[in-house]
Every structure is written in C-alpha cells, then in structure tokens.
C-alpha cells in the first residue's frame, strides 16, 4: 500500500503537468499573435480551463501532506529556492490571465502580455529543472539534509530537462490553439510551422535526455526506456496531427511532460528523496503516514479524486471544443 500512495501522489503531479503544459505553451506563444483580437482569442482558449487544471496541483500538495508528511517537509527545505520562484511565477501567470482584460488601457494590456509569456516560460522550465534535480539526486547540506544547490539547478541534465519541458509545452500549446483557429489564417500557419519544427526538436531532446540521464543516474536502462517511450509518444502524436486527429495528438503529445515525473520514480525506486552521496536520503517506509491516517485518506480522498476526474472531463468537454 505504501507504493500505491506514493504512485498516486506522482500520478497527480503528472496529471497537472500534462494538463498545464497546454496553458504554459499558450502563454509562451502569445507573442506570435500580432493583433489585439488574436491575443485576446489565444488567452480565451485557456481561461476556462487553467483553474481546473490547477486543481491537480492542489490535490498533489494535499495528498503529499496527508500520505507522505515527512517528505513534504524535506522537499520544501531542499527545494525552497525553486519553489519560491515557481510560486511567484504561478501567481503572476494567473494574474495575467485574469487581469489583462480588467482595464481597457493599451499600456495595461501590453504589460500583462509581457508577464504572461515570461511566467509561463519560468513555470515550464522550472518544473523541468525541479524534476531533473530529483532524478539526478540532491546535494548534501552541511547539516546533513538534502538540498538543491545552485550547481544542481544549472547542471547539464537539469537544463536539458528544462528545455524538454519548455519544448513539450510549446508543442502542446500550438496544437491546442490551432484547433480553434481558421486553418488558412496567418496565426494558424505560424503555429503549424512551429509545431513541425518542435516535433524533431523534442525527439532530439528526448534522445539526449536518455543518454545523459543514463550517465548520471543509477538506473540507466529504466531512465532510457522512459525517455524512449516519450519519444514514441511524440512521434505518433506527429503522425496523428498530420492525419487531422488533433485531440489524440494532444493526448500523446503530453508524453515528454509525463516522462519527467516517471523518471523520478524509476531512477530512485522507493527512495522518495535521493541524494547523490547516499547520505541524508529518505526512504518510503519512513516517509509514509501511519495506517490510521492512510485509512482516513482511503475513505475521503479517493472518492474526491474520482469526482475531480469526472469534473475535469466535463469541463474539457464543454470548454475545449473545436470552434474552427
């Protein structure tokens, strides 16, 4: 059962990244719209969805606290700098989506049109960097606690995974926006060209991730297999897009984002917080909550998660329809 709860926490994070990658991508792509109506249209494609997508992050944090309370505290300490950056970018990104249309002034809208792509880029790259750091293993602080140092956050593998998350989000955003644009429009053409370039770029990034990840982890085969599966998802997604099956392409296009949290699990196994030296690590058996707490979670959280999934399906069915 311990592994079940740990896997469920990871599944919630993977679901958040898969869904929010669309929002990150649309935000980063905003500068491609060179007219005010075009920018407004792009923003409107994600406004009905982004809060529902963020529910997965809230659920992840809540279940992490309930099922793995010791791990949450250790993560907050080890990743305190990137977490502050991610939270700040999250608040500003949401503010840009909400406040851009709250005032008619051109300067007001231009300011938020800068904030939205920048914070979306920080969020996508930040999540890629955080997960890469966990895959590779943390450093050891002088007090014996695991911590992500500045060197960890700029390691080549970390930067590679950050680029992978950014490229994957851009591709997902371009696919999603294209569903709601006239096929012969200038913006649709630009997004199509970008998407064509991103597909091979993602395949290269995944190949590099497999190679470098295999060199810096103790589970080279498992990490390489996960990256290879991500590459298969991207390749098949490209074929589906060419066949006009955009929804299926979006589903498989999330593979690079899903690969990152999966790599954390396959690289470290039941060591839920790994260090490169092996000291200061946290095993699942120590991090898991007591049986009484897990029993309470079983009767409260699991039904709520089912309701969240059903609600998410309804929201996407209603608000993510293709209009062009």
């Amino acid at each position: 059962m311990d592994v079940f709860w740990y896997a469920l926490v990871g599944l919630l994070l993977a679901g958040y990244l898969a869904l929010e990658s669309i929002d990150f991508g649309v935000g980063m792509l905003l500068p491609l719209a060179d007219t005010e109506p075009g920018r407004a249209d792009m923003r409107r494609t994600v406004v009905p969805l982004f809060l529902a997508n963020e529910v997965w992050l809230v659920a992840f944090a809540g279940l992490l606290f309930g099922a793995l309370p010791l791990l949450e505290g250790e993560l907050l300490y080890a990743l305190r700098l990137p977490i502050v950056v991610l939270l700040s970018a999250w608040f500003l990104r949401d503010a840009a989506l909400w406040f851009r249309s709250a005032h008619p002034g051109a300067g007001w809208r231009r300011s938020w049109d800068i904030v939205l792509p920048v914070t979306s880029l920080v969020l996508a790259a930040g999540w890629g960097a955080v997960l890469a750091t966990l895959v590779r293993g943390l450093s050891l602080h002088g007090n014996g606690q695991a911590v992500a140092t500045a060197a960890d956050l700029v390691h080549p593998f970390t930067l590679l995974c950050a680029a992978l998350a950014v490229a994957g989000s851009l591709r997902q955003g371009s696919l999603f926006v294209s569903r709601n644009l006239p096929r012969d429009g200038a913006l649709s053409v630009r997004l199509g060209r970008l998407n064509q370039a991103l597909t091979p770029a993602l395949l290269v990034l995944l190949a590099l991730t497999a190679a470098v990840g295999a060199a810096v982890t103790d589970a080279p085969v498992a990490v390489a297999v996960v990256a290879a599966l991500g590459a298969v998802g991207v390749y098949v997604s490209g074929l589906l897009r060419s066949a006009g099956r955009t929804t299926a392409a979006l589903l498989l296009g999330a593979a690079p984002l899903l690969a990152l949290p999966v790599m954390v699990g396959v690289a470290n196994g039941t060591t839920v917080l790994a260090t490169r030296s092996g000291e200061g690590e946290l095993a699942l058996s120590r991090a898991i909550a007591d049986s009484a707490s897990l029993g309470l979670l079983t009767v409260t959280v699991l039904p709520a998660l089912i309701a969240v999934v059903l609600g998410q399906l309804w929201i996407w069915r209603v608000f993510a329809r293709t209009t062009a």
Side-chain angles (χ1 to χ4, degrees):
M1 283 299 290
D2 293 359
V3 174
F4 166 79
W5 289 107
Y6 181 42
L8 185 57
V9 168
L11 179 63
L12 290 174
L13 179 59
Y16 164 74
L17 292 174
L19 293 168
E20 273 289 270
S21 64
I22 294 173
D23 302 337
F24 299 158
V26 173
M28 287 187 282
L29 291 169
L30 190 70
L32 288 184
D34 51 8
T35 64
E36 172 57 27
R39 289 187 288 271
D41 287 343
M42 288 186 69
R43 172 186 163 276
R44 278 194 293 268
T45 61
V46 295
V47 165
L49 302 172
F50 77 98
L51 287 178
N53 296 341
E54 289 172 352
V55 168
W56 290 77
L57 181 60
V58 175
F60 160 75
L63 188 60
L64 180 64
F65 175 76
L68 301 160
L70 188 57
L71 175 59
E72 183 179 49
E74 294 286 342
L75 280 175
L76 288 174
Y77 178 83
L79 302 171
R80 56 192 182 276
L81 177 58
I83 285 176
V84 168
V85 172
L86 284 172
L87 285 175
S88 300
W90 180 20
F91 296 151
L92 285 171
R93 194 285 305 265
D94 283 14
L97 288 171
W98 281 120
F99 296 156
R100 184 186 185 277
S101 60
H103 191 278
W108 171 270
R109 295 191 175 190
R110 279 196 301 270
S111 298
W112 290 117
D113 285 346
I114 295 172
V115 171
L116 181 56
V118 170
T119 52
S120 297
L121 173 63
V122 171
L123 283 167
W127 277 111
V130 164
L131 291 169
T133 302
L134 295 176
V135 171
R136 181 170 168 259
L138 299 165
S139 298
L140 197 66
H141 196 275
N143 59 8
Q145 287 186 280
V147 66
T149 64
D152 293 331
L153 295 172
V154 296
H155 187 273
F157 181 68
T158 305
L159 298 177
L160 186 61
C161 290
L164 178 64
V166 170
S169 297
L170 281 169
R171 187 175 183 277
Q172 288 294 88
S174 65
L175 275 172
F176 185 75
V177 173
S178 297
R179 297 166 71 246
N180 297 282
L181 291 174
R183 294 184 183 276
D184 56 349
L187 180 56
S188 183
V189 171
R190 285 195 289 270
L191 290 174
R193 290 172 179 168
L194 176 64
N195 197 281
Q196 288 178 349
L198 285 170
T199 299
L202 275 169
L203 293 175
V204 171
L205 285 171
L206 283 162
L208 291 173
T209 300
V212 178
V216 300
T217 66
D218 295 329
V221 175
V223 169
V225 167
V226 171
L229 290 174
V232 171
V234 171
Y235 179 74
V236 176
S237 174
L239 296 178
L240 291 170
R241 176 188 173 274
S242 299
R245 299 176 61 183
T246 311
T247 301
L250 271 170
L251 291 173
L252 283 175
L257 284 301
L258 295 173
L260 293 172
V262 173
M263 281 184 190
V264 177
V266 299
N268 302 318
T270 55
T271 301
V272 295
L273 194 67
T275 62
R276 293 191 303 284
S277 66
E279 299 179 20
E281 292 186 334
L282 180 63
L284 177 59
S285 58
R286 282 203 308 123
I288 199 72
D290 58 81
S291 56
S293 298
L294 294 179
L296 181 61
L297 289 175
T298 301
V299 299
T300 56
V301 172
L302 294 183
L305 289 179
I306 294 172
V308 167
V309 171
L310 294 175
Q312 188 90 46
L313 290 172
W314 179 83
I315 288 171
W316 275 75
R317 182 182 178 86
V318 173
F319 294 106
R321 292 174 177 171
T322 303
T323 60

